[in-house]
């Protein structure tokens, strides 16, 4: 298949294109309606088809002769645990646990909150809910109790599924007290908390409400798959909202199943029997789409990893996993590779392992800076492929199509061209489409493709106001950027990552690209601070590579000159502050919005996704010393 032919076929007739893709699935009842308006400005795909995601991920794979193939390789360097779980073994665990949930009166349409670490039981829980037609909502393990309480009140789950603890490096984080506090804070009270006791830390149980994970499964009848409609919800996944109230993105079953099967094979180039690694967590959309559902539906063996890219035990952990399991392709955020590079700048640890199984690496989640790209490209000698998508999309929006005969070639700085299903336009503030190379708002012409979220849980109006109102007829991604003459998309950052310097709107992402290219810089964030004369000026917060000792004044001069040369004097980039670390989410994204608020002396809400709260006072101290905020 050739990109231009496929993309044109989609543009000519989107409904027919996606009707053809749906034939790749094993439906219980084939859909007769392919595209249907929802009434809130969006569209639902395959609403009258009948299927079950647990069946597609497990039963169907066994029927195809893959029962003895490994479904999940569980690798936990933080607990020194490894396990290879076949499709048949995974099926056995899921049908038994689904039977236990059914005995507790969990059925089609009920909601269940899953608050768990990266252990196989978490995947079992997701698939068991899907088997019964119940709607799961996975909340990232370790979220603060008040954040979990907000999600409990919104989702109103019948049960909470949790574990006694999670592991962060060598630290045990007790989950059960967090769940108990969340339940006490929430208005809605789930009937029970199901607790998976881990050997390294046992949770105290309340006999009136708490149930042991394994004891509840004794003597239960295994549960059959419950057919659900294509329009029935599979899960709720909460993402941050600008109001502080999380948005429960709703994913339908039919469109999502078609999109994942399509993406795994066409976008990522995976075939049944391949080994795939989505290096993320089930608490995020990547974990749903490309750790659990997508790889299993595609007949792949998936890596289920509990650990970090460094300090578990060292910065060679990723290379060890690739070598040990023969990983053919993986997905990861650039920040993980920057962390590895910071600890092992010359890549010596990678050279200790046989990485010949690796065909290519996909990165997404934040901007792939050129220095990280070149480091990976030189070290691994395989294609390093940037692509772009969102929690709302559920699967990639731009990418090279590695499953096709002629994938679109990568271009440094671009996340590649739109995938069939996404008619991406760049609009100015008035909604007028811009010419190539002109920066504006990245928007997608409706209808969105299968798998894309089409509502917020019990709040259609909020979905419409958040995504569909600013540019009628389009989904507003919230990202800024431009297209080149060949249709390649360049994401310059969130539209609120633009600063106004003397009337010039400048992307901090472009400046970060330049700063991160310096040989001494491991990672950086450029933020705008208030300036009486120019309105705003950029300041670079820089983390040095491990072992690098730099004269900070000299480093500042070099970086200022680099930005002046590559962005221009109008950027007024003149200040650099060397910091020990930058605040990030648990999935590795730098919290730039919070950095901006600190620099502006504005109040901010502690982000629920922050990895280490203690970093924020450190940044405030640096900015005070530099004179950017009052002492």
């Amino acid at each position: 298949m050739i990109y231009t032919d496929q993309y044109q076929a989609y543009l000519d007739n989107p409904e027919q294109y996606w009707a053809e893709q749906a034939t790749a699935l094993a439906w219980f009842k084939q859909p007769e309606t392919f595209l249907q308006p929802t009434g809130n400005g969006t569209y639902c795909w395959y609403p009258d088809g009948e299927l079950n995601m647990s069946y597609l991920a497990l039963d169907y794979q066994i029927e195809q002769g893959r029962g003895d193939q490994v479904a999940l390789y569980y690798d936990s360097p933080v607990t020194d645990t490894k396990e290879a779980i076949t499709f048949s073994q995974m099926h056995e665990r899921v049908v038994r646990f689904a039977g236990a949930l059914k005995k507790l009166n969990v059925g089609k349409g009920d909601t269940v909150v899953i608050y768990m670490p990266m252990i196989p039981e978490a995947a079992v829980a997701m698939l068991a809910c899907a088997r019964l037609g119940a709607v799961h909502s996975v909340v990232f393990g370790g979220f603060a109790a008040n954040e979990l309480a907000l999600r409990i009140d919104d989702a109103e789950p019948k049960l909470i599924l949790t574990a006694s603890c999670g592991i962060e490096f060598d630290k045990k984080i007790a989950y059960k007290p967090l769940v108990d506090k969340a339940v006490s804070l929430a208005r809605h009270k789930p009937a029970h908390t199901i607790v998976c006791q881990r050997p390294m830390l046992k949770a105290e149980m309340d006999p009136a409400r708490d149930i042991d994970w394994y004891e509840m499964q004794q003597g239960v009848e295994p549960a059959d798959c419950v057919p659900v409609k294509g329009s029935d919800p599979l899960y709720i996944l909460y993402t941050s909202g600008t109001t502080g109230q999380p948005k429960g993105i709703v994913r339908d079953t039919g469109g999502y199943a078609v999109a994942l099967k399509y993406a795994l094979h066409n976008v990522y180039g995976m075939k049944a029997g391949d080994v795939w690694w989505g290096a993320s967590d089930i608490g995020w959309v990547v974990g749903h789409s490309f750790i659990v559902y997508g790889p299993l539906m595609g007949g792949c063996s998936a890596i289920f990893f509990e650990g970090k890219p460094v300090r578990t035990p060292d910065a060679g952990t990723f290379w060890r996993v690739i070598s040990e399991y023969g990983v053919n392709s993986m997905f990861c955020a650039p920040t993980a590779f920057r962390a590895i590079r910071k600890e092992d700048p010359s890549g010596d640890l990678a050279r200790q392992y046989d990485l010949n199984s690796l065909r290519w690496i996909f990165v997404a989640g934040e901007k792939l800076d050129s220095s990280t790209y070149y480091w990976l490209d030189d070290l691994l000698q395989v294609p390093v492929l940037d692509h772009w998508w969102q929690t709302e999309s559920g699967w990639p929006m731009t990418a090279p199509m590695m499953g096709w005969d002629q994938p679109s070639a990568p271009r440094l700085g671009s996340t590649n061209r739109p995938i069939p299903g996404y008619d991406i336009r760049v609009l100015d503030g008035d909604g007028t489409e811009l010419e190539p190379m002109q920066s504006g708002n990245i928007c997608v012409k409706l209808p969105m493709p299968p798998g894309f979220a089409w509502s917020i849980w019990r709040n259609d109006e909020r979905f419409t106001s958040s995504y569909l109102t600013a540019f009628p007829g389009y989904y507003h991604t919230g990202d800024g950027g431009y297209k080149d003459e060949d249709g390649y998309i360049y994401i310059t950052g969130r539209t609120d990552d633009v600063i106004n310097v003397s009337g010039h709107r400048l992307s901090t992402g472009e400046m970060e690209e330049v700063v991160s290219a310096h040989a001494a810089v491991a990672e950086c964030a450029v933020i705008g601070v208030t300036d009486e004369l120019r309105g705003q000026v950029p300041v670079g917060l820089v983390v040095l590579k491990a072992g690098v000792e730099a004269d900070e004044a000299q480093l500042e001069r070099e970086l200022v000159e680099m930005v002046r040369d590559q962005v221009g004097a109008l950027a007024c980039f003149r200040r650099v502050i060397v910091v020990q670390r930058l605040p990030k989410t648990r999935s590795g994204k730098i919290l730039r919005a919070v950095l901006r608020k600190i620099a502006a002396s504005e109040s901010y809400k502690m982000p629920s996704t922050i990895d280490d709260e203690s970093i924020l006072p450190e940044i405030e101290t640096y900015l005070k010393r530099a004179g950017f905020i009052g002492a």
Side-chain angles (χ1 to χ4, degrees):
M1 290 188 285
I2 300 172
Y3 173 84
T4 50
D5 294 344
Q6 288 292 309
Y7 194 73
Q8 191 60 51
Y10 146 69
L11 288 176
D12 290 344
N13 194 329
E15 192 169 345
Q16 180 180 333
Y17 185 85
W18 287 108
E20 291 172 0
Q21 309 312 317
T23 61
L25 281 192
W27 300 83
F28 294 152
K29 177 180 175 291
Q30 290 286 335
E32 297 178 4
T33 302
F34 297 104
L35 182 63
Q36 184 178 81
T38 62
N40 69 331
T42 59
Y43 298 81
C44 173
W45 291 87
Y46 324 113
D48 60 353
E50 293 185 6
L51 71 167
N52 184 282
M53 289 289 275
S54 184
Y55 170 81
L56 294 173
L58 299 174
D59 305 64
Y60 178 75
Q61 304 306 320
I62 294 170
E63 291 168 8
Q64 300 305 302
R66 300 189 187 102
D68 294 333
Q69 178 189 315
V70 172
L72 291 182
Y73 286 107
Y74 171 52
D75 190 292
S76 174
V78 292
T79 62
D80 196 25
T81 305
K82 297 177 184 178
E83 189 177 7
I85 307 168
T86 66
F87 277 97
S88 292
Q89 291 167 338
M90 195 69 181
H91 179 268
E92 182 182 347
R93 297 184 191 192
V94 169
V95 299
R96 187 171 63 245
F97 192 69
L101 293 179
K102 185 177 180 180
K103 193 173 180 180
L104 291 172
N105 298 315
V106 173
K108 184 177 179 181
D110 289 331
T111 55
V112 175
V113 162
I114 301 172
Y115 183 81
M116 299 187 73
M118 285 293 289
I119 55 178
E121 287 83 356
V124 168
M126 294 169 68
L127 291 161
C129 289
R131 195 169 194 83
L132 299 174
V135 182
H136 64 69
S137 183
V138 180
V139 179
F140 183 83
F143 256 171
N146 62 309
E147 294 292 335
L148 178 56
L150 288 172
R151 288 152 174 80
I152 290 171
D153 279 337
D154 196 66
E156 296 185 341
K158 183 168 280 189
L159 302 174
I160 298 179
L161 311 181
T162 191
S164 56
C165 71
I167 312 291
E168 289 282 340
F169 296 112
D170 55 357
K171 181 181 177 183
K172 303 178 187 69
I173 300 174
Y175 281 8
K176 183 60 165 44
L178 293 169
V179 172
D180 290 343
K181 185 177 180 182
V183 171
S184 71
L185 292 171
R187 296 186 305 276
H188 175 78
K189 306 297 181 184
H192 299 287
T193 298
I194 315 300
V195 183
C196 178
Q197 297 279 19
R198 304 189 73 183
M200 65 286 301
L201 181 67
K202 299 287 187 179
E204 292 186 12
M205 304 284 278
D206 178 352
R209 190 182 72 239
D210 302 334
I211 300 174
D212 183 270
W213 186 281
Y214 297 106
E215 290 178 2
M216 69 179 271
Q217 299 182 60
Q218 294 178 5
V220 301
E221 290 291 322
D224 291 330
C225 289
V226 173
V228 300
K229 297 286 187 184
S231 56
D232 285 336
L234 173 67
Y235 66 74
I236 309 162
L237 182 57
Y238 287 93
T239 186
S240 298
T242 55
T243 64
Q245 178 69 26
K247 295 180 292 189
I249 298 299
V250 179
R251 193 79 66 207
D252 66 327
T253 305
Y256 190 53
V258 171
L260 292 188
K261 189 75 177 286
Y262 178 90
L264 189 79
H265 296 317
N266 294 287
V267 177
Y268 294 115
M270 293 291 98
K271 300 180 178 65
D274 283 346
V275 180
W276 164 264
W277 185 12
S280 184
D281 187 282
I282 57 161
W284 315 122
V285 68
V286 176
H288 288 61
S289 297
F290 297 112
I291 295 179
V292 179
Y293 290 117
L296 299 185
M297 284 175 54
C300 292
S301 301
I303 307 294
F304 207 83
F305 179 75
E306 183 184 27
K308 301 287 186 182
V310 296
R311 288 176 50 198
T312 53
D314 57 31
T317 297
F318 271 26
W319 317 130
R320 189 268 302 168
V321 170
I322 292 169
S323 175
E324 187 168 331
Y325 302 108
V327 172
N328 300 121
S329 183
M330 72 178 294
F331 171 107
C332 192
T335 190
F337 292 118
R338 285 196 289 268
I340 294 170
R341 181 187 176 200
K342 182 177 185 293
E343 297 297 319
D344 183 25
S346 61
D348 291 337
L349 292 170
R351 297 183 181 93
Q352 297 177 14
Y353 297 96
D354 180 358
L355 306 179
N356 287 327
S357 64
L358 197 63
R359 299 175 196 147
W360 44 72
I361 280 181
F362 278 87
V363 295
E366 59 179 344
K367 189 175 180 64
L368 173 62
D369 58 280
S370 57
S371 59
T372 301
Y373 167 80
Y374 285 121
W375 183 77
L376 278 172
D377 182 66
D378 180 64
L379 181 66
L380 301 179
Q381 298 292 302
V382 299
V384 178
L385 305 168
D386 199 1
H387 68 321
W388 170 67
W389 49 301
Q390 302 178 321
T391 299
E392 291 83 354
S393 71
W395 63 289
M397 300 168 74
T398 67
M401 307 296 285
M402 300 308 292
W404 291 356
D405 300 327
Q406 295 183 23
S408 50
R411 290 185 182 178
L412 188 59
S414 171
T415 61
N416 220 284
R417 291 193 279 189
I419 291 169
Y422 295 97
D423 185 356
I424 297 178
R425 312 287 182 91
V426 182
L427 308 180
D428 67 12
D430 296 325
T432 302
E433 187 170 359
L434 295 170
E435 295 296 319
M437 308 308 292
Q438 290 185 315
S439 293
N441 300 280
I442 304 288
C443 298
V444 187
K445 194 173 187 300
L446 299 178
M448 305 305 287
F452 207 98
W454 46 266
S455 188
I456 289 173
W457 181 248
R458 295 175 176 168
N459 199 336
D460 290 348
E461 183 179 343
R462 190 178 182 194
F463 186 91
T464 301
S465 63
S466 297
Y467 302 111
L468 306 180
T469 302
F471 300 97
Y474 292 88
Y475 166 82
H476 182 209
T477 68
D479 282 317
Y482 61 92
K483 278 186 183 182
D484 68 15
E485 292 84 351
D486 299 317
Y488 279 74
I489 304 297
Y490 295 75
I491 306 295
T492 55
R494 298 295 292 176
T495 50
D496 56 5
D497 284 341
V498 173
I499 61 173
N500 194 316
V501 182
S502 300
H504 300 288
R505 289 173 56 80
L506 301 171
S507 167
T508 55
E510 291 181 16
M511 289 180 248
E512 288 178 5
E513 170 79 12
V514 176
V515 172
S516 65
H518 192 284
V521 175
E523 58 183 350
C524 69
V526 175
I527 57 174
V529 299
T530 301
D531 181 81
E532 185 175 353
L533 179 62
R534 298 178 179 85
Q536 286 181 298
V537 292
V539 173
L541 303 177
V542 167
V543 178
L544 301 181
K545 292 177 183 174
V548 170
E549 294 184 9
D551 180 289
E552 294 186 16
Q554 177 62 28
L555 176 65
E556 182 179 64
R557 286 191 291 272
E558 292 173 5
L559 292 174
V560 167
E561 187 62 28
M562 288 171 66
V563 173
R564 183 183 181 91
D565 287 345
Q566 298 179 51
V567 178
L570 81 168
C572 293
F573 182 88
R574 297 173 182 169
R575 294 297 305 274
V576 172
I577 303 172
V578 176
V579 299
Q580 291 299 309
R581 50 190 184 157
L582 292 168
K584 298 178 182 178
T585 66
R586 292 186 180 92
S587 61
K589 292 184 180 180
I590 296 171
L591 290 161
R592 292 175 172 84
V594 175
L595 289 173
R596 287 193 296 270
K597 287 182 179 293
I598 293 173
S601 298
E602 295 177 5
S603 61
Y604 60 87
K605 181 182 177 184
M606 183 65 69
S608 58
T609 55
I610 193 167
D611 185 48
D612 186 346
E613 296 179 8
S614 67
I615 299 177
L616 297 182
E618 289 180 16
I619 297 295
E620 189 171 349
T621 299
Y622 284 118
L623 290 171
K624 283 179 178 177
R625 288 175 184 167
F628 291 112
I629 57 178

